[in-house]
Amino acid sequence: MKYEMRTLLMVLIGLIVLPFALQAGGLTVTSAVDCVLLAVVGLGLNVLLGNTGLVSFGHGAWYGIGAYAVAIIQLRYFPDSVIAPILLAVVLVAVASIVIGLLVLRRRGVYFSLLTLAFSALCFTVAFRWTALTGGENGLGGIERRSIAGVSLDQPFVFYTFVAVAGFIVAAFLLRLSRSPFGHVLVAIRENETRTKFLGYPVMSYKLIAFMVSATITGFAGGLSVLNHRIASAESLSVAFSGELLALVLIGGMRSYAGPIFGALFFVLFREYLSMVTENWLLYFGLVFIAFILFSPSGLAGIGQRVWHMIRPPRETAAAMAARNTPPVVGAFPGFLPQKLEDAITISDVSKRFGGIAAVSDVSTTIAAHGVHALIGPNGAGKTSFFNLLSGMFAPDSGSIRFKGRELAGSPPDVICSSGIARSFQITNLFKGLTVRDNLLLSVMARHPARFSLLSSVEDVAQIQVETQELIGFLGVNGMEHAIAEDLSYGGQRLVDMGLALGSAPAVLLLDEPLAGLAVAERDRIGKLIRALGDRIGVLLVEHDVDRVFAIADCITVMNQGQVLIEGNSAIVQNDERVREIYIGSGTEALAQTVRASVVSEQVALQVKDIEAYYGKSHILSGISFAAHEGEVMAVLGRNGAGKSTLLKSLIGMARLGAGTVGIDGLTVSTPVPETMARLGIAFVPQGRRLFPGLTVKDNLMLGRLKRDKPGSNAWSDEKIFSIFPRLRERYEVNAELLSGGEQQMVAIARALAGHVRVLLLDEPFEGLSPAMTEEVFNAILKLKGQVTILIVDHNLDLTLALSDTALVLDRGRISHQGPALPLLKDLEFRRQKLWV
């Protein structure tokens, strides 16, 4: 509330000072009115552009429609009134915007933008040629300001006061909207529209209301503008004018509430003063606009913020997860979670094909109202596809999904979530630009009656705040709730992803690999949390940690090639030979026994000295120094948030170095840049693989060597790659996105090897792989041992240490231990001492 009062006070002072300041600069009160009206339009457009992420190229059409509506209504129906034409014009614009919104909002991205552009061009053509209604190229003149309550609006200062009061009301409304539950959902749509749907929000309804509000405010400003200039012309409907509106918002700063206000003032001053010198002022305005896009994308508001930070530098902080206060056991259940309901999900003969691939074939099962039901199977078995059918991401080709007596097959995600089925995602799917608290608040708020409120402040809705705090405590993310989600470690992001599903108060919770990327201690805690949840609600769990699955699951369904292979309790599934053959493999312990000593060269391949790494003002790594030799495999270990992935990203140039150097290929680099480091021989296999979707395995390998090949390099040929990954020979012409997770991991490593590589960085290479596929990838990496220097980050400690010659342990961004890997592999007590597990 203090922020709102302070902001509105500044707006009020600006409105009072504006006409006097412009007059002192040789301009008129009319220019002050134009400035206020353009600021109102900018604020309205920013509801779409800055808040919702919808780029309208034709928003000036609503300004022109509002202007023409006031002119026509006054001239033809209410010649002695001002208020009636304005009110009727606002209603007309609101209704028209709903109709147009229903059409154009059916498309996203550039298609939406092009439709708004076409709408503006159409409106301009109609206004320019329909002379009988609009006056054609001459426009409609003769508009009068008249009077209100006996006060004539013909006096410039009186009319300015009238417009300023209207502008202040609009500014106050939009400020409250930005802090309301409705405004928070618009920002969620901007950040991650897909996840917003899966929280239970009807995204189309929110976008339609935002479109209507934005267009109505713009039309209202257009109606006032026709009173200011006493003429309505087709120019206000032109595409060029829409471009000017878009430019002033971007120049001001579209992610800032006050940005459009600054942009409007800048535009009016630039136009008025430069037009006195040259009629080509728009050319120079275009050049200024380009300069802002190139050098200050955050606009004038961003420049102001940078200047403020120069005066008062922000405090340097530790890593995002450093302040976390992790509970040792499962916390108290949030009071909003249901408890032991009776309704089960009944799935009957569900099938789904993607082209010629049968992802799910005639799957039937029942997910109980409480208990842990595990879904396991090899990579590519159809587990995630089955999840997607249950949660509404895809509609099944056939079959039935019934819950609470209702058929849900084919229903959209928000309907399924609202019915009591919520899901997490295999690859974390958060609102990455928002804080942890805001992420969880959005999940909780989706169930609240105030979620559509435009006028209440979300901070004032006590129930939402209380339930959000309960969820924070239950997840154990206390202390890091104000960290930005994208700054968290991958394990931290997985926790928040699960929290987003829990905040929906589901009767049945779908968890897709919730333990992936978590350190050992955290896996234990989350495993207990899932078991505890299963005693209260239904949980469907996809997870490759089979030991934990067998320990906590009440029922296990094994899928293979899109079909159910077997279903039963842990004992039945464990003893089935088919399951052991296609899924379980040799087991981690047996793989770890294949450890073999390797000869490490004395020659240093990678030299790291005193590096300091930052994300923004968060200090992630401090004083990191080590050397990796030719052919050496080094394990980078530590808890979630210790800085492991950041270390790899620092070496390749994806994280900013504040100090220190990286030595590779005879060169010492102090400011690593990804393309430069890649050409020098550092190859990075990121968490999540990040293949080029839509391209074949062959194309991915070709792109891997295209810019990283040079005479004398040790780039691997396809035949040499096939000797490490025989499967890729068979998959060579297959689209990479159609491969199983394990096969995609093989392609990601192969792509890194395809170019000049001296040091290979592997970030979580075993994540999301079935035990059998983990064994295959492990054996492939084992073949690489001694041939290339490898730094590996993975939470499967046994496999990572078995592969490694040395271990580097990080704690809160610093090296806490460095030495041979074998003692950490063999001596569990020594491992607990050094790794806190």
Side-chain angles (χ1 to χ4, degrees), residues 583-656:
Y583 183 64
I584 297 178
S586 303
T588 298
E589 187 175 345
L591 286 179
Q593 296 303 316
T594 62
V595 62
R596 59 183 174 83
S598 60
V599 178
V600 177
S601 168
E602 292 295 322
Q603 185 175 351
V604 174
L606 178 72
Q607 182 74 56
V608 177
K609 289 186 178 180
D610 302 319
I611 65 172
E612 312 279 331
Y614 295 82
Y615 286 146
K617 285 295 178 180
S618 296
H619 195 169
I620 310 299
L621 298 177
S622 182
I624 303 296
S625 298
F626 65 89
H629 297 80
E630 295 282 0
E632 180 180 8
V633 180
M634 179 180 288
V636 181
L637 310 174
R639 293 178 290 187
N640 290 115
K644 306 181 299 298
S645 294
T646 303
L647 174 57
L648 300 191
K649 292 176 181 177
S650 298
L651 300 179
I652 195 67
M654 294 174 64
R656 177 174 66 90

Side-chain angles (χ1 to χ4, degrees), residues 251-272:
I251 287 174
M254 65 177 180
R255 295 290 175 88
S256 164
Y257 167 77
I261 299 174
F262 298 139
L265 179 61
F266 178 87
F267 177 80
V268 170
L269 294 177
F270 195 97
R271 180 188 67 186
E272 296 296 334

Side-chain angles (χ1 to χ4, degrees), residues 178-362:
S178 69
R179 299 173 65 80
S180 69
F182 181 84
H184 277 66
V185 178
L186 295 187
V187 173
I189 293 170
R190 180 193 75 198
E191 293 290 322
N192 190 337
E193 183 174 333
T194 298
R195 193 59 195 264
T196 306
K197 293 177 181 178
F198 280 92
L199 293 184
Y201 291 106
V203 166
M204 181 62 178
S205 298
Y206 279 91
K207 292 201 293 188
L208 182 60
I209 295 172
F211 189 84
M212 184 269 291
V213 168
S214 180
T216 302
I217 288 172
T218 303
F220 174 61
L224 293 177
S225 76
V226 84
L227 297 175
N228 188 36
H229 297 284
R230 303 177 192 266
I231 187 171
S233 71
E235 293 304 317
S236 60
L237 289 156
S238 68
V239 171
F241 181 65
S242 292
E244 292 170 11
L245 297 180
L246 196 62
L248 73 85
V249 174
L250 290 170
I251 287 174
M254 65 177 180
R255 295 290 175 88
S256 164
Y257 167 77
I261 299 174
F262 298 139
L265 179 61
F266 178 87
F267 177 80
V268 170
L269 294 177
F270 195 97
R271 180 188 67 186
E272 296 296 334
Y273 286 123
L274 202 61
S275 62
M276 296 177 187
V277 179
T278 174
E279 61 182 12
N280 298 318
W281 67 271
L282 263 176
L283 170 63
Y284 297 101
F285 180 75
L287 295 175
V288 170
F289 175 64
I290 292 171
F292 268 100
I293 295 299
L294 292 176
F295 302 112
S296 182
S298 54
L300 292 168
I303 293 175
Q305 188 177 48
R306 286 197 292 275
V307 171
W308 178 250
H309 285 168
M310 290 171 63
I311 298 170
R312 293 188 61 181
R315 184 172 58 88
E316 187 179 288
T317 62
M321 295 187 66
R324 182 185 175 200
N325 181 20
T326 309
V329 294
V330 177
F333 278 102
F336 58 78
L337 280 181
Q339 184 170 6
K340 293 192 175 181
L341 303 178
E342 297 301 324
D343 297 290
I345 302 178
T346 305
I347 299 104
S348 304
D349 301 320
V350 167
S351 298
K352 181 67 179 180
R353 298 183 69 87
F354 295 101
I357 299 175
V360 178
S361 299
D362 298 320

